[in-house]
């Protein structure tokens, strides 16, 4: 009898646990219904968790100040893929570069409905629209050491030509008919900007700059600014052997006409952005954000924002500064907005590891 | 150097004893047929919940690996990256490096990674597996935090000559061959086991992470594995035994892409040489055990897509001497010393590191005459030059209440040393931190087990509640230069309930076994790492809150049918718990039939996995196969020794 009672008690305890566990199912974070258009706002590309995760795109609506996360999967019912690198809008379409998946997802810039895929890329980094039927995609290539520009037919969404560049083709700007490509070294090192004729796809010249140039911007006077992040000592490394540099190129002669060296042997300058009037440059360095006028000939030693960000952006409509904080890199990140005087205005939660901004 | 000095010392020590002992061989009269393994685990662990995966279950899964077996037949959560891919264990909501894996008492955790890939352990190389839940740092040292997996090889004397050969074929071009040969005499046993396994693992799956949800075949998933286990056991005289074991294994695996990645061309090769020897002298009052192990393990990882080609090699020399002394018929004591020397060579560090750890440990056990009640106090202090290592202690008890209930409990301190990667990694964008402290904390558990029988029905019901904190949990985060570096930042609180039920019913030659297990585990992050940390108070990623399983096995004469259904609940994939993987439930069926003629036996078996075609992911965007199966046959031969 005693045995039976014990058996019953145990069964009861088990039953209680099972029923009490029902409420522990995770609360599904239901995304805001998507019907409206993504017309006035900012797309944030979130790299996504390391390893086998997927990146996402978040949208910040300027008029409502609302944020919608993961707008691609919500609309198209499949994830973007591993490591969402960057997004550009060109001729009403969004081009989302998915690095580790070797593809560019094309979406309608307003509805975010999928409009096709450009596949067969190897470590793609950025997209640049050239004309109605042509786009350039920079890529690091196999091993991350074979830089190239893939020429894409935007109508057929296929790669039509490959232009070899220095290692680790990264940032691109178009000045006149020339496209300037920073060669960041990829998983190796390099120190050149490759100049390409956008009509013929031929390499015009190669300009030697500082070590491992990543970001490239054009200022109001048509000069090209290149942020070179510096080079680490041979692997395994603890410090930089070639320090970071901010380099200016005169597009009329394709020569370097100003070199501003950084002092730190530990910190790499990163994330060069420019305001709407193309007169002020911003970048991250030594755990802070610095800014300087495009007319300056020395580096600013006073930080503008005393905070480390993973990605930077400047909203061309109001020159608000956007900084992204990836937190612990395994949970949703944050974007903090600053006004033109450097005062934080507000912040909002986006996806995991927010890295780049695309302003519309 | 240091390593080889120790090596020489222990070898000469063991050889001296052997030589000395051989002189007295003729005086041996009575020898025990069965080698009684009186491990420290069985004698001096008290109050921890434990599970045994016995030889018949290992035999049933003889053509599989340990990760798959534990995922199916234990309460441990196995985080698997796919068929034949990396698999690690999570005991009670802890991480992969919080499980100590001991092969005949020697820790197999890699000093570089702090963990072991359980998919690389072939079940046919093991005689039994014991899962010790909960912390037991005072017994096993670093890493025995969430639980300890004891992989044991045992042997029996005087069984004659036996041999077996197995071939198995499975889905996705899986082919496996195994062979074993053993000579078991009155005073010595020698045995050889070999296996060879290759598979394409190119299973079809629906890629829900791609446009149009295409059906794809898993790519770059081929594996080739082979291994050898050679064991020798000598009964020197009535109270001395010595054994040696040698385990070689080679594995060459391609690593498939995730569903969000499109393609992958990376490859990993693991090669290990493991040699051990143990000497035991059993006296009436005093037992002395000395053991030595030398492990040489290499890992090569190549991914030409990202220009990665890394080779690393680790060497471990473990020496341990322990004594057990029976003080009265109610109490006994265990005192021992362990020295573990580890070194690694890799281009990923500035210089090749080494670590020399010496530990003193002791346990005192008191028990009633019939061993119905026992209690054990244990302590361990480890020493590494210039490092502060926590003193670990534990108290445990077990006892029978009213003949029907076993009550057991344990309070234990635990710790885990930082790995070589944590301490010494030096690369572009990531730096180790030589100032890391060990992770440490306390764990408590209490179990109630009721077992009884009525006529042909026997049953056992068990419930365990546990609580554990891990402080100074090591986490890698970027510093102000955006370089990743580890720090002692997290505090993790885990607590939960575990239930199990076993019922068996026997009528003549027909036997039914029904078992069920269920876990409810909360494992939460209790300290902020950033301002307004959304991960605070949230469940750790890849720790299911709920999992459960049940098994129904039927045995009739030489036929067995075993059905297992495993349920794994939600697992979060981001530390703020905003993304998760859906629960899954997988059903597997194992059928075996044995035919016998005198000295010859043939077993044919079939293992049918995921029979209900569940689409699931254990790790986000890592595809798992739908229905898959394996068929095989084993021929056994046994010639008994002639009796005088």
């Amino acid at each position: 009898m005693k045995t039976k009672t014990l058996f019953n008690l145990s069964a009861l305890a088990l039953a209680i646990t099972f029923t009490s566990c029902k409420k522990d199912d995770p609360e599904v974070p239901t995304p805001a219904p998507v019907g409206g258009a993504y017309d006035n706002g900012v797309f944030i590309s979130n790299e996504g968790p390391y390893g086998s995760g997927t990146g996402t795109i978040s949208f910040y609506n300027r008029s409502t100040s609302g944020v919608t996360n993961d707008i691609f999967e919500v609309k198209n019912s499949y994830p973007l893929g591993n490591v969402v690198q960057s997004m550009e809008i060109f001729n009403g379409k969004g081009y989302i570069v998915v690095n580790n998946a070797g593809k560019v997802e094309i979406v309608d810039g307003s509805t975010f409905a999928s409009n096709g895929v450009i596949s067969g890329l190897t470590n793609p980094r950025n997209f640049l629209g050239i004309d109605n039927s042509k786009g350039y995609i920079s890529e690091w290539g196999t091993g991350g050491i074979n830089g190239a520009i893939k020429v894409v037919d935007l109508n057929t969404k296929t790669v039509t030509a490959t232009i070899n560049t220095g290692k680790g083709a990264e940032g691109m700007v178009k000045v006149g008919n020339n496209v300037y490509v920073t060669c960041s070294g990829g998983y190796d090192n390099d120190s050149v900007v490759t100049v390409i004729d956008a009509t013929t796809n031929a390499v015009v010249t190669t300009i030697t700059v500082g070590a491992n140039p990543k970001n490239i911007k054009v200022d109001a006077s048509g000069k090209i600014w290149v942020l070179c992040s510096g080079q680490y000592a041979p692997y395994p490394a603890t410090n930089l052997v070639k320090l970071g540099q901010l380099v200016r190129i005169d597009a009329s002669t394709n020569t370097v006409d100003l070199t501003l060296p950084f002092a730190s042997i530990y910190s790499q300058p990163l994330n060069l952005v420019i305001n709407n009037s193309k007169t002020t440059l911003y970048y991250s360095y030594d755990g802070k954000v610095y800014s300087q006028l495009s007319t300056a000939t020395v580096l600013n030693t006073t930080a503008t924002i005393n905070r480390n960000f993973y990605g930077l952006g400047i909203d061309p409509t109001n020159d608000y500064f956007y900084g992204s904080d990836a937190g612990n890199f395994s949970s949703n990140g944050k974007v903090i907005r600053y006004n033109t005087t450097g005062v934080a205005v507000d912040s909002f939660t986006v996806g995991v590891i927010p890295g780049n901004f695309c302003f519309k | 150097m240091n390593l080889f000095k120790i090596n020489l010392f222990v070898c000469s020590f063991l050889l001296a004893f052997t030589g000395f002992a051989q002189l007295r061989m003729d005086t041996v009269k009575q020898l025990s047929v069965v080698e009684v393994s009186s491990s420290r685990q069985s004698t001096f662990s008290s109050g921890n919940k434990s599970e045994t995966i016995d030889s018949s279950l290992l035999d049933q899964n003889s053509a599989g690996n340990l990760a798959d077996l534990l995922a199916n037949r234990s309460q441990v959560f196995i985080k698997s990256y796919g068929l034949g891919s990396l698999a690690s264990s999570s005991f009670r909501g802890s991480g992969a490096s919080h499980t100590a894996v001991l092969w005949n008492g020697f820790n197999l955790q890699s000093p570089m990674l702090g963990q072991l890939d359980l998919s690389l352990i072939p079940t046919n190389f093991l005689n039994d597996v014991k899962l010790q839940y909960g912390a037991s740092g005072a017994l096993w040292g670093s890493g025995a935090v969430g639980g300890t997996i004891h992989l044991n090889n045992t042997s029996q004397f005087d069984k004659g000559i036996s041999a077996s050969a197995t071939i198995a074929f499975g889905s996705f071009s899986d082919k496996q061959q195994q062979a074993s040969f053993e000579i078991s005499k009155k005073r010595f046993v020698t045995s050889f086991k070999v296996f060879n396994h290759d598979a394409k693992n190119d299973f079809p799956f629906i890629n829900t992470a791609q446009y149009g949800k295409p059906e794809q075949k898993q790519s770059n998933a081929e594996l080739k594995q082979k291994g050898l286990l050679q064991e020798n056991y000598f009964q020197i005289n009535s109270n001395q035994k010595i054994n040696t074991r040698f385990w070689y294994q080679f594995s060459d695996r391609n690593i498939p892409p995730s569903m969000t990645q499109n393609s992958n061309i990376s490859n990993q090769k693991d090669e290990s040489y493991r040699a051990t020897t143990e000497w035991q002298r059993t006296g009436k009052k005093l037992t002395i055990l000395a053991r030595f192990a030398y492990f040489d393990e290499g890992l090569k990882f190549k991914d030409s897509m990202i220009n990665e080609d890394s080779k690393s090699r680790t060497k471990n020399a473990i020496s341990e001497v322990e004594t057990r002394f029976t003080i009265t018929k109610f109490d006994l004591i265990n005192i021992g010393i362990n020295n573990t020397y580890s070194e690694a060579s890799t281009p990923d560090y500035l210089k090749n590191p080494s670590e020399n750890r010496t530990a003193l440990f002791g346990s005192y056990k008191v028990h009633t005459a019939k061993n119905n009640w026992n209690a054990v106090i244990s302590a361990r202090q480890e020493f590494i030059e210039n490092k502060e290592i926590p003193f670990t202690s534990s108290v445990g008890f077990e006892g029978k209440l009213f003949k029907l209930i076993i009550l057991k409990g344990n309070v234990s301190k635990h710790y885990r040393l930082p790995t070589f990667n944590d301490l010494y990694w030096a690369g572009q964008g990531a730096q180790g931190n030589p100032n890391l402290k060990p992770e440490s904390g306390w764990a408590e558990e209490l179990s109630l087990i009721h077992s009884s029988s009525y006529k042909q029905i026997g049953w056992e019901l068990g419930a365990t509640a546990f609580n554990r904190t891990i402080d100074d949990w090591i986490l890698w985060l970027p510093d102000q230069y955006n370089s990743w570096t580890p720090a002692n930042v997290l505090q993790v609180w885990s607590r939960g309930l575990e239930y199990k039920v076993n019922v068996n019913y026997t009528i003549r030659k027909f036997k039914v076994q029904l078992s069920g297990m269920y876990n409810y585990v909360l494992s939460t992050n209790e300290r902020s790492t950033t301002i307004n940390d959304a991960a605070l108070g949230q469940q750790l990623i890849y720790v299911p809150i709920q999992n459960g399983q049940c098994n129904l096995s039927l045995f009739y004469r030489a036929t067995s049918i075993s059905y297992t259904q495993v349920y794994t609940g939600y697992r979060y994939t981001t530390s703020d718990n905003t993304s998760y993987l859906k629960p899954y439930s997988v059903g597997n069926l194992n059928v075996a039939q044995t035919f016998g003629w005198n000295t010859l036996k043939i077993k044919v078996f079939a293992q049918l996995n995921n029979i209900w075609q569940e689409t699931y992911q254990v790790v986000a965007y890592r595809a798992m196969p739908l229905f898959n199966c394996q068929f095989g046959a084993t021929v056994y031969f046994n010639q008994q020794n002639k009796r005088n």
Side-chain angles (χ1 to χ4, degrees), chain A residues 10 17 40 43 73 89 116 120 142 170 200 205 217 230 241 252 271 293-294 298 303 360:
Chain A
S10 307
T17 321
N40 177 29
F43 297 100
E73 187 166 1
I89 293 187
T142 305
E170 178 85 36
T200 63
T205 184
K217 296 289 168 202
V241 284
S252 59
N271 296 322
L293 294 174
S294 60
V298 286
K360 190 183 177 190

Side-chain angles (χ1 to χ4, degrees), chain A residues 76-327:
Chain A
N76 301 303
S77 305
Y78 68 97
L80 271 169
N82 198 227
V83 189
V84 172
Q85 189 66 33
S86 61
M87 172 173 165
E88 288 297 326
I89 293 187
F90 183 66
N91 280 348
K93 281 179 184 152
Y95 292 86
I96 304 159
V97 182
V98 191
N99 178 276
N100 213 6
K103 66 176 181 179
V104 170
E105 288 277 352
I106 307 170
V107 292
D108 182 289
S110 278
T111 64
F112 237 66
S114 175
N115 192 255
V117 185
I118 303 164
S119 55
L121 306 165
T122 311
N123 284 318
R125 306 293 294 179
N126 289 290
F127 174 88
L128 178 72
I130 303 294
D131 60 37
N132 285 341
S133 61
K134 186 157 99 177
Y136 279 4
I137 296 166
S138 60
E139 66 163 40
W140 287 8
T142 305
I145 51 169
N146 297 302
I149 296 296
K150 293 285 180 184
V151 183
V152 178
D153 183 326
L154 299 182
N155 299 315
T156 62
K157 291 148 194 160
T158 50
V159 174
T160 54
T162 299
I163 310 163
N164 290 322
T165 64
K167 291 175 189 170
E170 178 85 36
M172 293 174 284
V173 288
K174 188 163 174 261
V175 178
N177 195 41
N178 283 347
V179 173
Y180 292 76
V181 184
T182 56
C183 299
S184 70
Y187 289 116
D188 195 10
N189 295 295
D190 207 339
S191 56
V192 296
V193 170
T194 303
V195 186
I196 297 165
D197 183 316
T199 311
T200 63
N201 298 332
V203 173
V204 176
T205 184
T206 301
I207 307 165
T208 302
V209 291
N212 298 327
K214 284 201 167 70
N215 312 114
I216 186 162
K217 296 289 168 202
V218 187
D219 71 15
S221 65
K223 300 255 180 170
I224 299 164
W225 291 87
V226 177
L227 189 63
C228 308
S229 51
Q231 182 181 326
Y232 274 98
Y235 192 75
T238 51
N239 59 276
L240 300 169
V241 284
K242 289 183 185 169
L243 306 184
Q245 287 179 352
L246 183 59
V247 170
R248 194 177 67 191
I249 294 171
D250 184 336
S252 59
T253 59
N254 284 339
T255 52
V256 171
D257 68 354
L258 182 68
T259 299
L260 306 176
F262 290 88
S264 174
I265 61 159
Y266 296 112
S267 183
Q268 295 190 303
L270 291 166
N271 296 322
L272 183 71
V273 291
I274 196 161
N275 66 347
N276 184 45
S277 58
K278 316 276 185 216
T279 51
T280 311
L281 297 154
Y282 290 76
Y283 54 85
S284 311
Y285 174 63
D286 207 12
K288 302 178 183 80
V289 177
Y290 289 83
S291 66
Q292 63 183 62
L293 294 174
S294 60
T295 50
T297 53
V298 286
L299 291 173
N300 197 349
T301 50
T302 317
T304 305
I305 299 168
N306 204 346
R307 182 164 175 174
N308 191 23
F309 292 108
Y310 190 70
L312 308 184
I314 302 224
D315 189 337
T317 64
N318 56 7
D319 273 346
Y320 271 32
F321 173 86
Y322 285 59
S324 69
D325 183 345

Side-chain angles (χ1 to χ4, degrees), chain B residues 214-228:
Chain B
E215 183 173 312
Q216 294 183 345
K217 269 194 169 181
Q218 184 65 293
S219 61
N220 203 55
E222 300 85 351
L223 69 78
K224 279 195 182 79
Q225 289 170 343
K226 56 191 171 187
L228 161 78

